[in-house]
Amino acid sequence: MKSFRLVLFLCLVGVMSSCDKFLDIRPTGRVIAETGEEYRALLTTEYKNFPEDRGLVSFRSDEMTLDASTTSSEDLSAFFDLWAWNDQAPQATTVSLGWRRYYHAIYIANTLIANRYTMTQISEPDRRQLVGEAYMMRAYCHFLLANLYAPPYTTVRPDTARAVPLMLSADVNLVPKSSSLAEVYTQVERDIDSAAILMNKVEWPTGLNYRFNTISAKALKARLALYQADWTGALAAAQQVIAAHPALEDLTLSSALLPTSYKSAENIVALEQVMTPTYARAGRVSDELLALYRSGDRRKAHYFNAVSSTTTLLRKGGGGEQHSTFRSAEFYLIAAEAAAQLGSLAQARDYLKTLMKKRYTAAFYTLHATAVDALSQADLINYIYDERARELAFEGHRWFDLRRTTRPLLQKTYGTNTYTLAPNDRRYTLRFPTEALEANPGIEKLEH
């Protein structure tokens, strides 16, 4: 390709007999979709192939360490440069993020949106739900792309800062340029609103809950507002999520599921595996993260497996049931942070303590809750940041939280070498993929 173009791969694979029952995808094999079932198959394939980049960028955060004695040479060749922030000249074996896969998913979403009135053999409620999911897919892909490849919203002038190409039509001949960060965020919100109007499924049955639903529109709006530091909007949207889906797993009970299980009561949407078996095998839980867990915190035992005095592995990842894109605990934390930023400290503490009560043994909950009640506004906000690190560890939030908040100094050691990410380092934002730049040298220019 001489220009960066989005290519539609509509030659779908046959039945995937090896799929687990959670994502038992059975595409139709048709090249040109006509019926509602065929359009559903197109979108289902994008759900199935959605990138696990939120887990991949965990390597860049302070959650994970690589160790010569435990990390295989194969994993080192795949992940070391990501982990050490070597973006200038990475090895050819370094794993790539899913740039093309995002834009392929956006293309399919655009195709569904463009053909919303021509698809046949589908009821009106099912058509509306399907097209609403397409808007959500387009919104979520653009949102992730902007937060991987554009500067944090609150650190720049969003109306002039370069983001990523906005793709809003199913045209394979487009030669795109980048839109501003403000334009991308505005379009994401528009798509969320369109999805919210169309979707009618509040909850999918277990096994189909990788699909977007009505609550997920509120959830993505809350996360979008959080990343913009729109505290009023974040609080309002998070409150809507909590009202619709308040359930929290009680980790003080031995029978509790991991909250990241797609079978968990906390699940809202279980699209992403986040920490794949390969990611979970390659790295170890960092000492810095483990040190954040306080006495009586049941998450440390539930989320991690201390196999020795020096090595701790991850229970939250590695395949199986662990699929989580939106779950209710995140929105208690968003509500707490937004309320604290707005100066509503009692409200912030209430949201925070509601979550903590399900995570700490009774005696230690009382101790830590009393300490939370005594915190100043600044200290409470910092406590909520730490609570996000504890609660959402290895779920693809930490890297984005570091970007949107303090962008601190990070240092990592491998053998005798130390690698440093300076405060506000430009490497907090990923470079556009080389293949995209080579195919279309003008892709980073703002569209006017």
Side-chain angles (χ1 to χ4, degrees):
M1 293 167 49
K2 293 184 179 179
S3 62
F4 178 74
R5 296 181 180 180
L6 305 177
V7 181
L8 177 60
F9 297 100
L10 292 181
C11 297
L12 301 177
V13 297
V15 174
M16 300 180 183
S17 59
S18 63
C19 287
D20 61 23
K21 292 183 179 180
F22 170 60
L23 286 175
D24 190 11
I25 309 305
R26 299 173 183 272
T28 64
R30 292 287 299 273
V31 174
I32 301 174
E34 296 176 354
T35 68
E37 181 182 5
E38 290 164 350
Y39 278 108
R40 168 60 74 183
L42 285 177
L43 190 59
T44 298
T45 301
E46 300 312 312
Y47 279 130
K48 174 64 179 178
N49 294 320
F50 201 83
E52 300 90 4
D53 287 353
R54 289 203 302 129
L56 187 56
V57 294
S58 291
F59 284 93
R60 297 179 75 86
S61 76
D62 54 359
E63 295 177 302
M64 184 183 292
T65 186
L66 300 183
D67 186 274
S69 64
T70 55
T71 305
S72 70
S73 58
E74 178 184 1
D75 288 337
L76 284 173
S77 67
F79 303 116
F80 186 85
D81 285 332
L82 277 172
W83 179 80
W85 312 294
N86 178 21
D87 302 335
Q88 192 67 36
Q91 303 174 74
T93 53
T94 298
V95 66
S96 299
L97 278 73
W99 174 277
R100 282 182 175 271
R101 288 167 63 190
Y102 288 119
Y103 279 110
H104 187 268
I106 290 169
Y107 188 100
I108 295 298
N110 287 335
T111 300
L112 265 72
I113 292 167
N115 292 282
R116 58 189 294 182
Y117 298 118
T118 60
M119 59 181 70
T120 62
Q121 300 177 40
I122 186 170
S123 69
E124 180 62 13
D126 286 350
R127 180 187 67 80
R128 290 176 64 86
Q129 173 64 34
L130 181 58
V131 176
E133 290 175 54
Y135 275 110
M136 277 295 294
M137 179 66 78
R138 188 168 79 178
Y140 193 45
C141 287
H142 280 131
F143 173 75
L144 290 177
L145 283 162
N147 282 284
L148 290 167
Y149 296 102
Y153 191 93
T154 55
T155 65
V156 293
R157 281 189 54 187
D159 58 332
T160 58
R162 189 272 298 157
V164 294
L166 268 176
M167 304 299 291
L168 304 177
S169 66
D171 183 354
V172 295
N173 294 311
L174 285 177
V175 182
K177 293 182 179 179
S178 292
S179 299
S180 73
L181 198 53
E183 289 171 323
V184 173
Y185 268 66
T186 297
Q187 185 61 49
V188 168
E189 186 164 18
R190 285 175 183 155
D191 283 348
I192 294 170
D193 290 342
S194 295
I197 291 169
L198 290 166
M199 292 191 297
N200 47 67
K201 278 282 190 181
V202 177
E203 183 178 3
W204 288 98
T206 303
L208 294 178
N209 51 345
Y210 58 86
R211 296 175 179 176
F212 294 116
N213 56 33
T214 58
I215 303 173
S216 70
K218 301 176 179 70
L220 184 53
K221 180 161 278 194
R223 197 183 290 177
L224 182 76
L226 178 74
Y227 284 28
Q228 291 174 290
D230 172 10
W231 306 121
T232 301
L235 179 58
Q239 287 172 327
Q240 289 181 323
V241 176
I242 293 168
H245 195 91
L248 292 168
E249 291 288 343
D250 189 345
L251 297 189
T252 68
L253 304 176
S254 59
S255 59
L257 287 173
L258 278 176
T260 48
S261 168
Y262 74 88
K263 298 178 181 178
S264 168
E266 292 194 21
N267 171 260
I268 296 171
V269 172
L271 168 59
E272 294 153 293
Q273 188 173 185
V274 185
M275 291 303 295
T276 70
T278 303
Y279 301 169
R281 179 195 69 212
R284 302 292 180 263
V285 183
S286 71
D287 292 339
E288 292 80 4
L289 175 57
L290 292 173
L292 289 177
Y293 291 90
R294 298 164 179 254
S295 299
D297 193 334
R298 297 295 299 151
R299 288 173 294 198
K300 192 171 182 179
H302 277 271
Y303 293 176
F304 309 116
N305 177 25
V307 296
S308 72
S309 60
T310 58
T311 301
T312 301
L313 304 180
L314 186 63
R315 294 186 193 273
K316 276 175 114 178
E321 295 182 2
Q322 305 309 309
H323 293 72
S324 182
T325 294
F326 302 113
R327 64 180 180 92
S328 48
E330 177 189 353
F331 301 95
Y332 285 91
L333 290 166
I334 290 177
E337 183 178 344
Q341 293 281 2
L342 291 168
S344 301
L345 303 191
Q347 187 180 34
R349 293 183 183 114
D350 285 345
Y351 283 120
L352 184 59
K353 290 189 291 185
T354 299
L355 175 62
M356 291 171 60
K357 195 167 188 177
K358 301 293 186 179
R359 301 304 191 244
Y360 290 88
T361 59
F364 279 101
Y365 166 74
T366 300
L367 176 67
H368 295 312
T370 300
V372 165
D373 286 338
L375 294 174
S376 67
Q377 181 181 23
D379 288 341
L380 180 59
I381 291 169
N382 286 329
Y383 190 98
I384 292 167
Y385 290 161
D386 285 347
E387 189 65 11
R388 283 182 65 90
R390 289 186 282 263
E391 176 63 31
L392 303 175
F394 292 98
E395 293 181 46
H397 293 277
R398 181 61 175 171
W399 176 247
F400 298 109
D401 279 350
L402 292 171
R403 276 171 41 88
R404 73 177 178 84
T405 56
T406 58
R407 295 166 302 285
L409 168 73
L410 297 181
Q411 288 189 320
K412 299 176 180 179
T413 301
Y414 184 84
T416 59
N417 296 319
T418 298
Y419 302 89
T420 300
L421 189 68
N424 296 307
D425 198 300
R426 69 177 61 185
R427 290 172 294 172
Y428 270 109
T429 297
L430 297 177
R431 297 156 60 99
F432 274 24
T434 301
E435 61 173 333
L437 294 170
E438 290 178 346
N440 179 10
I443 194 171
E444 291 187 297
K445 295 180 180 178
L446 279 177
E447 191 78 63
H448 295 292

